[in-house]
Amino acid sequence: MMPTQSSIPGVDALWPLCLDIVGQRRGSVAPQQRDARSPLAWDPSQGFALRGVWDDGAVELFELLKPVLDRPRGGRPWLIGQLGQSLDGCVATHGGDSNYVNGPEVLVHLHRLRALCDAVIVGAGTAAIDNPQLTTRHVAGSHPVRVLLDPELSLPSTLRAFTDGQAPTLLVSDASRAAEAEERVGADRVLGVPGLTGAEGVLDLHALTAALEAHGLRVLFVEGGGVTVSRFIAQGCLDRLHLSIAPVIIGAGRPGLQLPRSAAMRDCMRPSGRIFRMGADVLWDLDLRAVQPAAPRG
Ligand SMILES: NC(=O)c1ccc[n+]([C@@H]2O[C@H](COP(=O)([O-])OP(=O)(O)OC[C@H]3O[C@@H](n4cnc5c(N)ncnc54)[C@H](OP(=O)(O)O)[C@@H]3O)[C@@H](O)[C@H]2O)c1
């Protein structure tokens, strides 16, 4: 019998399956060949696949999330970044207002990525200006650990991430300033990273990733802002980037990606990508692994 339109499963049926995959990953349960009746198949070389008939929304969401669900098991940590930007490449106005560059579909997508990752990382600029909660309140799923990168220790302890009790929060500083950081927010909320701040204040993001991995945080979501996501890309730390472009022109706002200059077009990064419609916005899912500057991995 042909399924009726109303009996075809959609996003509401798919999303709990995605959360199950994440739950098993956190419990260190390796993906297994699944029962033929399971709505998700798994194969070591192909990753997860949908079985049976699903509606278009579920098929598209599964395709979008598949790299996150499939990301290599074991081995090194896996990082995905995101930026929501205007047609002219800004992530906020000059004064820092970014509510909202993108439409509601992208906001829900951000919360889905938070739910699929172990930790969400933001720069001090974003933490100071947005005072974000960094929770999954628009979707089902557990909140990630909130990681605020603050090598200069400029963030006040009154930020919501330190006071709302909704999820664990880690303030990241260089290990040499950890005691100072602990005085501000308490020892259990400080991650002092040895060698985080190198010569001329350059942050060693591989050192950060290794320190988070030591805390059991291996699937990492770098949510912004432009400076922070750019630094992760410049150091070859990101596996994927979700760039959501909204049909808005901000004009002289806070820039999105800012990377070292290229001499010629042939030298520019040209990652392979897929596009997804998100309401009025267009999301680029970019595979950065093959095009990033080679960087040593600890
Ligand atoms: N559209 C989006 O997807 C999206 C996502 C996240 C954030 N945002 C917006 O992006 C803006 C922030 O991004 P960003 O690229 O400027 O910074 P960021 O990547 O969040 O943080 C790093 C930058 O913030 C500076 N910073 C450090 N402490 C600060 C403080 N207390 N107050 C202000 N800045 C501080 C740092 O300066 P030093 O290097 O000198 O320490 C560094 O340049 C905000 O307006 C936020 O609303 C947009």
Side-chain angles (χ1 to χ4, degrees):
M1 194 172 74
M2 286 287 288
T4 62
Q5 193 62 34
S6 62
S7 69
I8 297 176
V11 167
D12 289 348
L14 175 66
W15 180 241
L17 301 175
C18 298
L19 293 177
D20 279 352
I21 292 172
V22 172
Q24 289 177 6
R25 182 191 78 215
R26 291 195 180 128
S28 299
V29 177
Q32 289 155 357
Q33 305 284 1
R34 289 164 179 244
D35 187 293
R37 288 163 302 179
S38 164
L40 277 181
W42 186 80
D43 174 280
S45 61
Q46 305 292 322
F48 289 99
L50 278 181
R51 276 205 191 105
V53 181
W54 293 79
D55 75 14
D56 291 349
V59 171
E60 183 163 85
L61 179 63
F62 180 76
E63 282 307 315
L64 173 58
L65 297 180
K66 182 172 158 59
V68 189
L69 301 173
D70 283 350
R71 103 262 163 290
R73 315 271 141 179
R76 63 176 180 78
W78 191 88
L79 285 85
I80 182 167
Q82 85 82 37
L83 284 175
Q85 68 172 52
S86 60
L87 293 171
D88 53 341
C90 299
V91 296
T93 65
H94 179 70
D97 180 20
S98 63
N99 287 338
Y100 292 95
V101 176
N102 298 105
E105 295 82 358
V106 172
L107 185 63
V108 168
H109 177 62
L110 287 195
H111 285 228
R112 286 204 176 106
L113 287 180
R114 290 175 185 171
L116 296 179
C117 293
D118 299 333
V120 56
I121 302 171
V122 294
T126 297
I129 294 166
D130 294 356
N131 193 8
Q133 297 176 70
L134 302 171
T135 61
T136 59
R137 61 197 175 279
H138 290 301
V139 298
S142 53
H143 307 313
V145 173
R146 304 176 288 193
V147 176
L148 312 185
L149 250 179
D150 186 22
E152 298 301 323
L153 298 185
S154 63
L155 295 177
S157 59
T158 50
L159 289 179
R160 286 197 285 200
F162 295 124
T163 58
D164 67 11
Q166 297 191 77
T169 300
L170 290 173
L171 178 71
V172 173
S173 71
D174 190 273
S176 62
R177 298 192 68 180
E180 203 182 327
E182 287 172 8
E183 268 176 38
R184 285 171 168 243
V185 296
D188 55 341
R189 288 181 171 155
V190 172
L191 180 62
V193 179
L196 177 70
T197 309
E200 295 164 15
V202 175
L203 299 185
D204 182 343
L205 298 171
H206 291 282
L208 168 65
T209 306
L212 291 172
E213 183 183 16
H215 271 61
L217 305 172
R218 308 171 63 83
V219 182
L220 308 174
F221 178 33
V222 185
E223 192 171 304
V227 168
T228 297
V229 172
S230 300
R231 285 173 175 166
F232 274 85
I233 294 177
Q235 291 186 32
C237 291
L238 282 193
D239 292 273
R240 290 193 99 82
L241 176 67
H242 282 185
L243 198 60
S244 301
I245 299 166
V248 59
I249 296 170
I250 292 179
R254 298 209 174 211
L257 295 181
Q258 304 162 79
L259 287 155
R261 155 183 319 173
S262 301
M265 281 309 299
R266 67 174 172 276
D267 302 327
C268 298
M269 291 166 70
R270 204 179 281 273
S272 63
R274 307 177 298 160
I275 53 172
F276 294 83
R277 290 303 304 257
M278 291 260 164
D281 302 342
V282 174
L283 183 152
W284 276 93
D285 167 41
L286 300 165
D287 182 355
L288 298 186
R289 191 42 51 205
V291 295
Q292 285 189 98
R297 291 198 170 275

